Amino acid sequence: MKVRTSLAAAVLASAILLPSAAPTLAAPPAPRPPGIEKQDTLRWVAPKDLRIGSAVAGGGHHETQAYPDPFTYDQPYRERLAAEFNSVSPENQLKWEFVHPEQDTYRFAEMDAIVQFAQANKQVVRGHTLFWHSQNPEWLEEGDFTKEELRAILKDHIQTVVGRYAGKIQQWDVANEIFNDNGTLRTTDNIWIRELGPDIIADAFRWAHEADPKAKLFFNDYGVEGLNAKSNAYLELIPRLQAQGVPIDGFAIQGHLSTRYGFPGDLRANLQRFDDLGLETAITEIDVRMDVVAGTEPTAAQLAQQASYYQRALEACVAVDECNSFTIWGFTDTYSWVPVFFSGEGEATVMEEDFTRKPAYYALQTTLEQASPGRGNR
Ligand code: 9MR
């Protein structure tokens, strides 16, 4: 399982043979990985009213690793991304620091390539994210702007980015992680809320809606799996904004879980109370990390616990009417953010580094299969 070094070397070697530019725009569909039947994939068994997705690795922590851009250069990775999923989410490629690195410069090539890939492979795209306290460019965070200027900067950004992909992005995480764990707004570290006040949240949704009236607009956060102060805060905020006519379609739960803690058994009840408000819901970033001891494999018990968390999360979504999208935050441990951010933890995705499927993969496959009276979005 521990093939990080050799795999990185192989990817690096193949990168040398490839052109340095991102794949061309008229991308053909990715071929199916050898040995994998069409019917033996997650997207094939998914119910027609549920998209099964993955983050698309690139940007962020990947830029500090010893491999080239995964989405651009890792062909076996691309084949599995196409074969297994019918929804994709850019992991970092739409975040401010990546897509808007200088005040007057946008960098769209990478996201354009993801959208082309998704279209060629009949996948929908989740846009992530427009309004966040993190991964903002220095020119923005350190800039000396008046309130009017900041407001104009946010509006321009949202309308430029959402407008460019209008009709091509199904769901947007418009506002990401706006609450602290205790349910108070992030009035210190979120530049927009700090400088412009909480009403700017509604404007962000209005501007996104103007730029693409058909896109579904979401709040997205971590630590809101269960019934707690943070999820309560969303339950209070969303209807209040909707009563003012703010275009909000959904509430999304990231789902970064750890086997160190118990499974959030109230996930289904929590999704249901947002569904009861008439909202769509989604699981947008699930992974399940575990303790790792360098040089050893996870135990069967660890893998079984991980599989059960993935399965219970998917079952919770399947059980709720308008939970229409279930996305894992990467599908192979090769590119997972977890070991980079949590020392001593890892193995958080459903496939080993050589794409061997873990018990967690089969748990998802079986759960999707059992949830599928009418299949569709293959
Ligand atoms: O997976 C992302 C990683 O590549 C970045 O370096 C990191 C920086 O904050 O962000 C990771 O993605 C985050 C997502 O955008 C929002 N929810 C939490 C995710 C994990 O940190």
Side-chain angles (χ1 to χ4, degrees), residues 59-62 91-92 95 128 132 134-135 176-177 254 256 285 329 337 341:
H61 78 277
H62 303 286
E91 187 175 354
N92 294 287
K95 291 173 181 173
H128 174 81
W132 194 22
S134 180
Q135 288 185 273
N176 196 38
E177 304 172 2
Q254 294 180 7
H256 294 291
E285 304 182 13
W329 206 235
W337 70 293
F341 285 78

Side-chain angles (χ1 to χ4, degrees), residues 20-36:
S20 57
T24 53
L25 288 189
R32 202 165 46 247
I36 295 188

